[in-house]
Amino acid sequence: MLSPLLIPILGISCGLVAIIGGVFIRPLFKLWERRMEIEAGLAAEKAAQYAAQTERLEQRVQVLERIITDRGMGLADEIEKLRDAPLN
């Protein structure tokens, strides 16, 4: 059997748990959420920097490929002319 004194004690205890949860637990969860938002923003910024760096490197490789393919034949001819030139 339940003691008549137990009912008010349980009611007050539930109220205290709700107050403590609202005062301490909710701000803690908001702090964690804010921290995760900041970390996500930093990760996105770093990913954008990596993407920009990758784009720059790809452009440089394209320039090098163009130099090699466009000037490949002319460069070979120039090298041959230098080999055939008499030494002074």
Side-chain angles (χ1 to χ4, degrees):
M1 298 285 190
L2 283 173
S3 168
L5 186 59
L6 192 60
I7 293 173
I9 291 174
L10 288 175
I12 292 172
S13 298
C14 288
L16 288 176
V17 168
I19 291 171
I20 290 172
V23 171
F24 295 109
I25 304 296
R26 189 183 319 162
L28 184 62
F29 282 146
K30 286 185 179 183
L31 177 67
W32 288 344
E33 181 180 1
R34 180 69 180 135
R35 184 181 296 162
M36 286 189 291
E37 288 174 356
I38 291 171
E39 289 175 0
L42 291 175
E45 182 179 332
K46 189 175 280 193
Q49 290 174 352
Y50 286 144
Q53 183 179 6
T54 301
E55 179 66 28
R56 285 191 304 270
L57 290 173
E58 286 177 356
Q59 289 175 355
R60 292 180 72 181
V61 168
Q62 288 175 358
V63 168
L64 291 173
E65 287 174 344
R66 192 172 342 112
I67 289 171
I68 291 171
T69 56
D70 290 350
R71 297 235 357 185
M73 293 302 287
L75 187 61
D77 292 339
E78 289 177 27
I79 291 172
E80 289 300 320
K81 286 180 187 176
L82 290 174
R83 284 189 188 158
D84 294 339
L87 297 173
N88 291 334

